[in-house]
Amino acid sequence: MAIAETQRVALVIQYLGTNFYGWQRQARGRTVQAEIETVLARQLGQPVTVTGAGRTDSGVHAAAQVAHFDVASPIPAEKWATILNSQLPEDILIRASAQVDRRWHARFSASWRRYRYTLYSEQRPNLFVKPFSWHYYHAPLNESLIQKALEPLIGHHHLAAFHRAKSSRTHSWVDVQAAECQRQGPFIYIEIQANGFLYGMVRLLVGMLVQVGTGMRSLENFTEIWKQELREQVKYAAPAKGLCLLRVGYPDFPFPPEVWFDTQPKQFLW
């Protein structure tokens, strides 16, 4: 019997981060990577490593995380989405799978990542948006002020002020490609796109942007803090549940836009 040629399979993955200790496999705690690897190992009878485009922290969601694995199997690459979905838990979903070149890499071939943070400003709580947003009703939020605070961040900057400890990254340089804030009814969406993200960066950033949006912190003070790298003045991180890895961009991507481009619905389309 001929031995199947090894192929590299790319995945577009959604997960609800609520009950996960993040993407990356750990010695303790449930992770997305470990859940997928467990199903693959059971299917193939041997360990398989799944490499993601980036790590997400405990409680953070993903609308279109990207990953790849190598496998010597006669199963066509596009069939792996169905196979995995039949065995994965309810809080992980494979949107699609496809074969890619062996030189293609989910992490190193990526040009950018985009995150969305959702705030819910209605005073009354809502159970159906609670798992995916920060319920912030303590003071009115001015999305125009938040947008003005975001604009100077676009470009190549050293963002050590938003870099949490315990990171293995040796520097804090980030190329921010887009930064936007929009309101839709009681929902405020903050989206940041960059070549890569520092550990804890978006949640620390949103924590300060909320202070700007309420008028507790001036635009000038916010800008001074990150430009002067005053990390000690960045004290509060926004809750993980409002953060979602929205999508990852590649120069050469085998999936059509409807699979990965904007797959986290904006709540109730207000």
Side-chain angles (χ1 to χ4, degrees):
M1 182 180 293
I3 299 175
E5 182 180 352
T6 300
Q7 60 179 332
R8 178 157 291 185
V9 179
L11 305 171
V12 176
I13 309 164
Q14 294 183 324
Y15 48 88
L16 308 180
T18 308
N19 296 317
F20 288 107
Y21 285 86
W23 160 266
Q24 189 176 23
R25 184 194 321 106
Q26 299 178 24
R28 296 180 181 178
R30 183 171 178 251
T31 70
V32 180
Q33 181 186 23
E35 292 279 7
I36 298 172
E37 289 178 345
T38 297
V39 173
L40 286 170
R42 187 165 58 234
Q43 181 72 28
L44 295 165
Q46 62 184 28
V48 178
T49 298
V50 177
T51 301
R55 305 174 185 178
T56 53
D57 295 338
S58 178
V60 175
H61 313 293
Q65 168 74 286
V66 179
H68 77 261
F69 64 93
D70 295 329
V71 60
S73 169
I75 298 173
E78 64 273 13
K79 298 293 185 183
W80 278 107
T82 301
I83 293 169
L84 288 167
N85 285 334
S86 69
Q87 301 179 56
L88 283 168
E90 290 292 320
D91 45 6
I92 305 177
L93 178 75
I94 311 300
R95 290 276 293 176
S97 57
Q99 185 171 354
V100 289
D101 188 272
R102 289 295 303 276
R103 294 168 295 182
W104 189 92
H105 195 282
R107 179 183 175 190
F108 298 123
S109 298
S111 301
W112 49 265
R113 289 90 172 153
R114 190 178 184 100
Y115 279 88
R116 173 186 289 161
Y117 197 94
T118 301
L119 295 122
Y120 176 59
S121 63
E122 196 75 55
Q123 185 162 5
R124 294 180 186 272
N126 188 320
L127 180 64
F128 293 97
V129 303
K130 184 178 179 181
F132 309 105
S133 62
W134 180 8
H135 185 202
Y136 194 92
Y137 58 92
H138 316 287
L141 285 169
N142 185 328
E143 67 274 15
S144 297
L145 284 176
I146 295 175
Q147 178 62 47
K148 287 179 181 177
L150 285 168
E151 288 167 2
L153 282 164
I154 296 175
H156 185 65
H157 301 293
H158 199 250
L159 299 179
F162 305 121
H163 197 166
R164 298 180 81 172
K166 300 181 182 179
S167 172
S168 59
R169 187 164 172 169
T170 58
H171 65 84
S172 298
W173 289 102
V174 178
D175 286 309
V176 179
Q177 301 163 354
E180 302 165 5
C181 179
Q182 295 180 338
R183 176 184 286 274
Q184 233 175 329
F187 296 97
I188 294 175
Y189 302 101
I190 299 170
E191 294 190 16
I192 312 288
Q193 180 173 308
N195 64 326
F197 286 83
L198 308 173
Y199 176 55
M201 171 181 160
V202 180
R203 291 173 58 198
L204 288 170
L205 177 59
V206 171
M208 287 199 67
L209 288 169
V210 163
Q211 294 180 338
V212 173
T214 60
M216 294 170 57
R217 188 179 298 276
S218 69
L219 288 167
E220 294 76 15
N221 179 248
F222 170 80
T223 304
E224 178 189 19
I225 285 172
W226 68 259
K227 285 191 172 181
Q228 299 297 321
E229 302 178 18
L230 304 177
R231 177 66 183 86
E232 69 280 0
Q233 294 193 32
V234 182
K235 299 180 179 180
Y236 305 108
K241 63 182 181 177
L243 185 58
C244 181
L245 174 58
L246 192 60
R247 53 183 175 264
V248 185
Y250 297 86
D252 184 18
F253 204 30
F255 302 102
E258 58 266 24
V259 169
W260 62 274
F261 186 74
D262 202 4
T263 59
Q264 185 198 35
K266 289 187 172 178
Q267 306 292 341
F268 298 118
L269 301 178
W270 288 70

